[in-house]
Amino acid sequence: MAFGMGAALTACGQQPDVVAAPTGPPQAGGTLRVGLAGGGASDTLDAHIPVNTTDIARVVNLYESLLYRDENYDLQPLLALSATPDDTAKVWTVKLRPDVSFHDGRPLTADDVIATFKRITDPENPKSGATALSMLDDVVATAADTVEFHLNSPAATFDDSLGQYNLGIVPADYDPAHPIGTGPFKAKSFSPGRQSVFVRNDSYWRDNEPHLDELVILNFNDDDALINALLSTQVDAIGQIPLALTEVIGSDPRIGILNSETGMWLPFTMRVDRKPFDDVRVRQAFRLAVDRQQMIEQVLSGQGRIGNDVFAPFDPGTSGLPQRTQDIARARSLLAEAGYPDGLDVELVTAPIQSGAVEAAQVFAQQAGAAGIRVAIRRVDATTFFGDDYLKWDFAQDFYYTRNFLPQVDNSLLADSPYNETHWDDPRFVKLVRQAKATLNEAHRNKLISEAQRLLWEEGGYIIWGHPNQADAYQQYVAGLVPNKTGLALSGYEFRRVWLGGTK
């Protein structure tokens, strides 16, 4: 692939027109065309059920949550001015930002916040953020610009739970068929699996933002099509390029590379309730079969950090675990103890759901063979992967952006989590998580998190081999993009601050 791309860059024997990176203050106007892979027929504009990359990009630009994680992974106010707990951490008071209006001109009020969280936690139709709000009993207005979140148990990090992109505030009469939010862009048109068009929200609450007149998000089926669209100037920026191609693509003087260190992870997922993975010795053997440094080098071209089968590397509670390394002899011994003295055969389902996913599957299959694990790779497209069998595969992959430990647990490691691919449901783990959530003392809470991580490290259903950098590419005339630790592409999809210089 790298050879073919290099040939494309030098073909035709002529130098491309080069535009210098813009300088000075941001310029208003223009259309930004963004290319992303991973969308399909199930694409949505619903604020509260984003799944794939294009869904998330749309959500970030149409809607806004009360708080959010910025490019440094610091929790910052967004539609909230503040979020503060009482002494018991069972009542959190949120003061709303004044002078914020929805796309249709109506002001943001406490009633809209209440309606939003009722929609997300509707027991008849819970949305993807509902599990993280399992402790929420009620949301009440104490003033037009103030709400109280009443919890049924202490939640010392509830503000972190509020800072998720799938908790965008919508009006009380919200209809996803006519998406209305407070974000920097308004929906103009939407063709699932093809493209989404947005126009500037002229009443946006941030001064002098967004700079663009229009934002277009285009879906592509694979990396080749995505990169070719950039090189032929069909798009202005693309998200999630293969790390192996950063130098090749960046050698084109028209193109800039945005490379961000993240807490993102591309796990292999083993269903702990299905053979052979219902035996913890098999799960341990699979983790010991991985040469993590080789994965980083071959899959990520060295652009990432070694993983240790736990997520949330930026969480202050992440510490104290010995680094797991490849041990083929021990892996074979564990498989023999589990009743597989001659090894075993498994099917690994993979898809281009994130840059590096398919390559990781291929490298794992090669590495695991030394331990007697014979892997048959079943490659499907992204639409099939996220279809009816999503979360049902015995052995597959997934991807997650940066989160701290407790919000990620809510998302994927509880019995009622929306994305529990491993079907993990361990009462010891749940007890530690509940204790951590209720603990106001940060040092004690971090200790509980470390204990929960150790249990996951020893017995869980994830193989977390690394934390990839996030690499994106853009035409040099695109300005305002900055590295972002969240793992979301192209500055966390915050296109409100992107602007365009002169183009040719």
Side-chain angles (χ1 to χ4, degrees), residues 3 35 39 52 63 124 140 189-190 239 253 258 266 278 317 322 342 497:
F3 174 80
N52 59 52
Y63 312 100
E124 299 300 319
V140 298
S189 65
F190 176 49
L258 184 68
L266 283 167
D278 58 345
D342 300 319
R497 53 187 179 187

Side-chain angles (χ1 to χ4, degrees), residues 20 44 59 67 81 159 178 237 243 351 367 378 424 467 473 487 497:
T44 181
V59 162
L67 300 101
L81 289 175
D159 52 347
H178 304 284
L243 293 168
Q367 294 178 348
R378 177 185 173 191
W424 173 261
H467 301 283
R497 53 187 179 187

Side-chain angles (χ1 to χ4, degrees), residues 469-482:
N469 286 7
Q470 170 61 50
D472 313 302
Y474 57 93
Q475 307 287 351
Q476 289 285 9
Y477 53 74
V478 176
L481 297 171
V482 296

Side-chain angles (χ1 to χ4, degrees), residues 353-387:
I353 55 173
Q354 184 83 349
S355 179
V358 174
E359 294 81 359
Q362 294 166 341
V363 174
F364 176 82
Q366 295 169 359
Q367 294 178 348
I373 301 168
R374 297 174 290 275
V375 179
I377 293 178
R378 177 185 173 191
R379 178 170 175 168
V380 300
D381 59 37
T383 299
T384 301
F385 186 88
F386 288 121

Side-chain angles (χ1 to χ4, degrees), residues 159-477:
D159 52 347
D160 200 353
S161 298
L162 294 177
Q164 307 298 318
Y165 56 72
N166 59 357
L167 300 182
I169 304 302
V170 296
D173 59 355
Y174 176 69
D175 178 1
H178 304 284
I180 299 294
T182 65
F185 294 94
K186 301 187 292 185
K188 180 180 179 181
S189 65
F190 176 49
S191 299
R194 296 181 60 193
Q195 73 170 22
S196 318
V197 181
F198 309 89
V199 295
R200 177 169 56 200
N201 175 11
D202 291 324
S203 300
Y204 189 51
W205 58 270
R206 293 182 193 264
D207 291 338
N208 303 314
E209 290 184 358
H211 308 299
L212 301 166
D213 287 333
E214 192 171 66
L215 167 66
V216 180
I217 297 174
L218 296 138
N219 291 56
F220 289 86
N221 294 327
D222 55 48
D223 290 336
D224 286 347
L226 190 66
I227 294 167
N228 286 332
L230 180 74
L231 297 178
S232 62
T233 65
Q234 295 176 50
V235 295
D236 307 303
I238 59 175
Q240 302 171 349
I241 63 173
L243 293 168
L245 294 180
T246 55
E247 290 188 12
V248 174
I249 298 171
S251 67
D252 186 323
R254 302 170 301 166
I255 305 299
I257 301 294
L258 184 68
N259 203 322
S260 304
E261 180 183 277
T262 77
M264 183 169 59
W265 46 298
L266 283 167
F268 294 100
T269 59
M270 303 175 284
R271 276 191 63 166
V272 302
D273 62 336
R274 296 280 292 271
K275 288 185 178 298
F277 302 112
D278 58 345
D279 191 316
V280 66
R281 294 168 295 189
V282 172
R283 303 196 295 271
Q284 291 170 345
F286 271 57
R287 286 193 284 267
L288 289 170
V290 182
D291 183 332
R292 295 155 198 269
Q293 185 60 49
Q294 186 182 60
M295 292 285 279
I296 296 294
E297 295 299 328
Q298 292 192 6
V299 177
L300 307 181
S301 296
Q303 300 181 67
R305 290 172 299 130
I306 290 175
N308 196 26
D309 299 321
V310 292
F311 43 77
F314 301 144
D315 194 298
T318 300
S319 63
L321 291 171
Q323 176 61 55
R324 182 170 278 134
T325 58
Q326 186 183 53
D327 189 337
I328 296 299
R330 179 58 179 156
R332 282 186 171 276
S333 176
L334 285 166
L335 290 176
E337 291 175 19
Y340 304 99
D342 300 319
L344 77 169
D345 298 277
V346 294
E347 178 183 77
L348 171 58
V349 180
T350 187
I353 55 173
Q354 184 83 349
S355 179
V358 174
E359 294 81 359
Q362 294 166 341
V363 174
F364 176 82
Q366 295 169 359
Q367 294 178 348
I373 301 168
R374 297 174 290 275
V375 179
I377 293 178
R378 177 185 173 191
R379 178 170 175 168
V380 300
D381 59 37
T383 299
T384 301
F385 186 88
F386 288 121
D388 292 340
D389 288 323
Y390 179 48
L391 310 179
K392 297 178 183 177
W393 313 112
D394 289 353
F395 187 37
Q397 293 169 282
D398 213 330
F399 73 92
Y400 290 99
Y401 298 119
T402 310
R403 282 189 178 93
N404 275 355
F405 185 74
L406 295 177
Q408 182 61 54
V409 167
D410 288 333
N411 209 47
S412 63
L413 279 175
L414 301 177
D416 56 353
S417 293
Y419 305 117
N420 190 347
E421 324 96 320
T422 67
H423 295 243
W424 173 261
D425 184 19
D426 189 293
R428 300 165 298 167
F429 181 83
V430 172
K431 181 179 179 180
L432 287 167
V433 166
R434 287 177 176 169
Q435 289 176 332
K437 289 181 177 180
T439 301
L440 290 169
N441 181 280
E442 184 176 4
H444 186 204
R445 183 170 67 248
N446 289 342
K447 181 179 179 182
L448 292 165
I449 287 173
S450 294
E451 291 179 25
Q453 287 185 334
R454 178 171 287 277
L455 184 59
L456 190 64
W457 183 81
E458 292 174 344
E459 300 185 21
Y462 284 133
I463 302 172
I464 304 174
W465 53 268
H467 301 283
N469 286 7
Q470 170 61 50
D472 313 302
Y474 57 93
Q475 307 287 351
Q476 289 285 9
Y477 53 74

